[in-house]
């Protein structure tokens, strides 16, 4: 039976232009989606934009544009980012679409019918920048004596009638769920954070506002709009056809993985499963939080002027180098710091040198000395067998790592094999065998070609374009670019196209002065 796999990114706020942080979560989700496709699963990969709320309304206002025109424009820019980063989403949802209004309305009514929503009055601290409410005890004192949200965002005291969700009733069932499903939240540090938050006790959640208009109207009470986070979370089931549970796509629920940034873990691992359980729907299977990127040690911000534009990087270094860097530089789940210097170093050392040269050396010798045809496997020596065994283990090892979103470890495993291969080619010196033992030379090149095929196949999810080109050069047909095809050897004698370098080294224009901008 074909496995199904459902993965989502957060839907991004359209109050500003997309930056490297947004590209990061989307690229990581893309790698996981592509891995599962490579492994034969039927995948549904969802991303999109979160278009309601006061923050978006204010951004439109200050841009002097009607909110719908504003969100249309910024949403298109996020979509363009996903396409530019080669993110293979199956659907791009926008929360201003009619299908989403329908899903929100249906879920709201279902919760209301279940007695989970009531009308009350809200009085508390609201931070528009975070679109979040904070308790008195959560506020922190800024150096200038002003009390602000834990994120540093300004807060305002808000009193208004509001609908509430009975979150307080769900504490025990949430804790029981975390207990019964130890893998529900990752990485472990985030799981502990969520557990202690829920153990402290949950208050009912205010889920409507009356102070602004840009949102989904509360069914039956249009003076209220639905709290943007409630509306946003529903996107995950809207896209699968909710409320039509006979829809073709509904079989993709529950999601296998919601990938999110660490600052929004609470919404996904506490509120969202509570809404779903209260509606009698199954919660997602796992929520994993990635860490935060800073730029040269500082939080990326427009005012500092250090916002990194992923599309500019992709244009300069190639999209695959940027994808590789993002996932290799930082253990996935931890925080990282972006620097151009680090990106160039990984590109030149690991991509151009370790992997690119290995492929180029192997394939150019096949082209020159084997008549451009894939050689036969010769009698396998101990050295050959050791290398081949490591390469053949890659799919299994990586499969175990992707289950815990250890994307950096996946790359480390592959590079271990690449480094062993570089040692092998130096030791075996096929260029010298050319004169002394041509059949052995051919056998060595065949071992290397087979190892490169394994490597390029398991790296396809990370660098789809460049690894696709490498597989072209290795003569691997399109329909054999799957993990399941790796067991079948390519036929000896297969004519290979002339080899071409895949990762050109990057030389800084400023290199003459020894200056790197940052
Ligand atoms: O929170 N480093 O949207 P958002 C790493 N609309 N990841 C980063 C990042 C950085 N510096 N900056 C952003 C929202 N991200 C809500 C989500 S979901 C139902 C609603 C990534 O536009 C990270 O995944 O603020 C983070 O959670 C997300 O972008 C926040 O995007």
């Amino acid at each position: 039976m074909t496995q199904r796999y459902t993965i989502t990114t957060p839907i991004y706020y359209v109050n500003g232009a997309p930056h490297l942080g947004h590209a990061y979560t989307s690229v990581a989700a893309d790698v996981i989606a592509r891995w599962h496709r490579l492994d034969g699963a039927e995948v549904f990969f969802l991303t999109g934009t979160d278009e309601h709320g006061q923050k978006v309304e204010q951004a439109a206002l200050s841009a002097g544009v009607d909110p719908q025109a504003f969100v249309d424009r910024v949403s298109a820019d996020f979509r363009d980012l996903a396409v530019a980063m080669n993110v293979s989403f199956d659907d791009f949802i926008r929360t201003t679409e009619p299908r989403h209004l329908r899903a929100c309305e249906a879920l709201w009514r279902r919760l209301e019918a279940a007695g989970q929503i009531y009308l009350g009055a809200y009085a508390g601290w609201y931070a528009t920048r975070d679109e979040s409410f904070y308790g008195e005890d959560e506020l922190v004192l800024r150096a200038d004596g002003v009390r602000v949200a834990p994120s540093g965002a300004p807060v305002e005291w808000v009193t208004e009638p509001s609908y509430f969700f009975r979150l307080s009733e769900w504490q025990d069932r949430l804790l029981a769920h975390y207990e019964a499903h130890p893998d529900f939240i990752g990485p472990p540090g985030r799981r502990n954070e969520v557990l202690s938050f829920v153990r402290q006790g949950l208050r009912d959640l205010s889920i409507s506002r009356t102070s602004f208009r840009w949102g989904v109207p509360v069914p039956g009470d249009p003076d209220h709009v639905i709290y943007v986070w409630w509306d946003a979370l529903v996107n995950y089931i809207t896209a699968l056809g909710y409320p039509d549970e006979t829809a073709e796509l509904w079989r993709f629920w529950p999601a296998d993985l919601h990938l999110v940034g660490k600052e929004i873990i609470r919404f996904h691992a506490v509120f969202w499963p509570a809404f779903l359980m209260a509606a009698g729907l199954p919660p997602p299977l796992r929520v994993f939080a990635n860490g935060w990127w800073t730029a040269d040690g500082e939080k990326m911000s427009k005012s500092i002027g250090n916002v990194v534009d992923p599309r500019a990087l992709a244009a300069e270094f190639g999209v695959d180098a940027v994808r590789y860097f993002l996932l290799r530089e930082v253990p996935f789940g931890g925080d990282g710091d972006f620097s151009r210097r680090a990106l160039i170093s990984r590109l030149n050392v690991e991509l151009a040198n370790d992997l690119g040269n290995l492929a180029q050396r192997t394939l150019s010798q096949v082209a020159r000395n084997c008549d451009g045809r894939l050689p036969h496997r010769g009698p396998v020596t101990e050295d050959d067998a050791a290398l081949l065994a490591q390469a053949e283990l890659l799919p299994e090892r990586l499969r175990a790592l992707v289950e815990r979103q250890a994307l950096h470890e996946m790359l480390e495993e592959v590079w271990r094999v690449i480094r062993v291969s570089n040692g092998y080619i130096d030791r075996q010196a096929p260029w010298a065998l050319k004169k002394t033992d041509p059949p052995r030379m051919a056998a060595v090149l065949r071992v290397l070609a087979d190892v490169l095929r394994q490597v390029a196949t398991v790296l396809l999810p990370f660098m789809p374009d460049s690894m696709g080109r490498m597989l072209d050069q290795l003569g691997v047909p399109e329909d054999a670019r799957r993990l399941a095809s790796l067991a079948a050897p390519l036929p000896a004698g297969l004519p290979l196209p002339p080899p071409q370098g895949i990762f050109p080294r990057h030389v800084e224009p400023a290199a003459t002065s020894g200056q790197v901008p940052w």
Side-chain angles (χ1 to χ4, degrees), residues 11 13 50 95 100 104 227-236:
I11 48 169
Y13 283 131
D50 185 355
T95 55
H100 184 63
C104 286
Y227 172 42
V228 62
W229 260 107
W230 193 96
D231 144 19
L233 289 161
V234 176
N235 93 85
Y236 299 127

Side-chain angles (χ1 to χ4, degrees), residues 273-332:
F275 299 163
L276 288 164
M277 292 196 272
L281 294 169
L285 300 180
R286 183 166 162 86
V287 180
F288 185 91
N290 64 240
W292 270 63
W293 281 91
T294 49
D296 292 309
E298 293 196 79
K299 190 168 191 293
M300 275 180 245
S301 102
K302 275 190 202 145
S303 48
I304 304 177
N306 63 346
V307 176
V308 181
D309 174 3
R311 281 172 287 196
L313 289 178
E316 185 174 7
F317 298 103
V319 63
D320 282 348
V322 178
R323 289 171 61 108
Y324 174 78
F325 171 78
L326 287 176
L327 299 173
R328 181 66 188 83
E329 180 73 2
V330 185
F332 198 60

